[in-house]
Amino acid sequence: MALDQSFVGRTYPPTEPYEVGREKIREFAESIGDANPAYTDTEAAKALGHPDVIAPPTFVFAITFKAAGQVVQDPQLGLDYSRVVHGDQKFAYSRPVRAGDRLTVTSTIESIKSLAGNDVLDIRGEVHDEAGEHVVTAITKLVARAADEEA
């Protein structure tokens, strides 16, 4: 069954603040194999004009995807998560994520489309710091595969 188009534009409450730590940034940078010193060395980050180490651009995925869980788990939406695959991810930054940031995410259903029996859902995650300043917008595309006709 196709997802209800009336959910487009629905916004969910902001998440609790997530505090970005230096060690989390370092671990993430190491896990993706990125040796950029701005991710691990405070002095290198300061030399680039940042107040502390910054996170690789994809670091914020962990918190925006978790926030998108509010959408995915909304029983009124009726999304069958067992059929969902991650289709695409985009980020639009106002500034880098920095160690010490306390970030909240507000998720909004950007679009719902039905293509070849599959439901395609775009979720916009607006990430703000504790001063209310915009840090990044993340667009997560989820595809709920069509149910197997023979099942």
Side-chain angles (χ1 to χ4, degrees):
M1 183 166 93
L3 296 176
D4 185 344
Q5 290 290 318
S6 71
F7 278 75
V8 173
R10 182 174 284 196
T11 297
Y12 294 78
T15 61
E16 290 297 315
Y18 173 88
E19 188 164 343
V20 179
R22 280 190 202 106
E23 186 63 14
K24 288 285 187 185
I25 292 172
R26 184 193 61 75
E27 289 171 350
F28 186 84
E30 286 178 359
S31 74
I32 63 171
D34 194 329
N36 184 334
Y39 304 151
T40 57
D41 181 339
T42 304
E43 293 310 313
K46 286 181 178 180
L48 295 171
H50 304 289
D52 205 330
V53 295
I54 60 171
T58 54
F59 177 87
V60 77
F61 174 78
I63 62 172
T64 58
F65 193 73
K66 183 177 180 181
Q70 293 179 79
V71 176
V72 169
Q73 296 168 5
D74 184 338
Q76 294 178 333
L77 179 61
L79 182 66
D80 180 358
Y81 194 69
S82 72
R83 307 196 69 73
V84 170
V85 295
H86 185 241
D88 192 21
Q89 188 68 50
K90 296 178 184 175
F91 302 103
Y93 276 87
S94 294
R95 67 158 175 86
V97 170
R98 302 182 284 238
D101 277 341
R102 290 179 46 81
L103 304 175
T104 58
V105 183
T106 303
S107 297
T108 300
I109 298 176
E110 189 81 359
S111 69
I112 297 174
K113 297 176 185 150
S114 186
L115 300 169
N118 300 312
D119 286 319
V120 181
L121 177 69
D122 286 333
I123 302 168
R124 184 180 75 242
E126 296 289 348
V127 180
H128 292 86
D129 63 20
E130 70 183 332
E133 297 296 319
H134 179 264
V135 177
V136 58
T137 299
I139 303 292
T140 302
K141 184 179 297 292
L142 301 177
V143 180
R145 297 169 290 129
D148 187 358
E149 294 293 328
E150 297 177 19

